[in-house]
Amino acid sequence: MKPWKLLTLLLATCVVAACVTSPRRVSEPAASIQQLSVAADGSWSVDLRVQNYSSVPMRFESIRLDLTVGGDAAGTLASSTPITIGPESADVLTLAFAPSAQARLQTADALAAGRSLPYRIDGTLRAAPDDRGAARDYTVRRDSALSPVPGLPGVLR
């Protein structure tokens, strides 16, 4: 076989191989608090990072996560606004939040002392592949901590 025909055949084989789709993989999503901002009236704005580890876009229909800060229950982070997150990507949702009095005190103390604030989120993300299938609940539990941001009063990351 002539070299240019062999090269053409090899190139065509590579193009066909590249067009073969990889298998669909739906994986457990994750969530974490990216930023917590305390307003002058004591309310919070919580930037919640939702991570899609699946190989397909996922449609997140609802979020319901119990939040604990410094060992005290703060309340429930909830959203029923649907969002779609691309494969192996993340998105950030900003949620308005009215924390419990004890959680406000824990947060104010951490900000005043310049120390980190441990938190836990525990609940469910309801999601489904964007192109088909019924949504199901995925359990989320995360223990982490937020630290005051220098130069930004009332902000923890």
Side-chain angles (χ1 to χ4, degrees):
M1 188 177 252
K2 294 189 178 188
W4 66 272
K5 285 186 178 181
L6 183 61
L7 184 60
T8 304
L9 181 61
L10 181 62
L11 182 61
T13 303
C14 289
V15 168
V16 170
C19 292
V20 174
T21 59
S22 61
R24 290 172 49 96
R25 178 182 42 80
V26 175
S27 301
E28 296 273 331
S32 61
I33 295 177
Q34 184 166 307
Q35 179 172 295
L36 186 152
S37 303
V38 179
D41 66 357
S43 65
W44 294 356
S45 174
V46 178
D47 291 345
L48 185 71
R49 180 181 174 87
V50 179
Q51 183 75 43
N52 174 20
Y53 291 110
S54 301
S55 65
V56 295
M58 294 289 284
R59 182 183 68 254
F60 290 84
E61 295 180 355
S62 66
I63 296 168
R64 185 168 181 80
L65 302 168
D66 294 326
L67 173 61
T68 303
V69 294
D72 292 312
T76 302
L77 295 169
S79 174
S80 58
T81 303
I83 62 164
T84 299
I85 300 176
E88 299 170 358
S89 298
D91 204 348
V92 177
L93 301 170
T94 300
L95 304 172
F97 187 68
S100 68
Q102 196 60 27
R104 283 183 190 171
L105 288 173
Q106 289 279 356
T107 305
D109 184 49
L111 285 166
R115 64 174 171 76
S116 64
L117 178 68
Y119 78 88
R120 169 183 267 188
I121 52 176
D122 192 3
T124 58
L125 300 175
R126 185 160 186 79
D130 192 41
D131 59 348
R132 65 174 181 227
R136 65 173 274 229
D137 288 336
Y138 292 93
T139 301
V140 173
R141 174 175 281 165
R142 180 172 181 93
D143 290 297
S144 192
L146 299 165
S147 297
V149 179
L152 294 176
V155 177
L156 298 140
R157 288 189 185 145

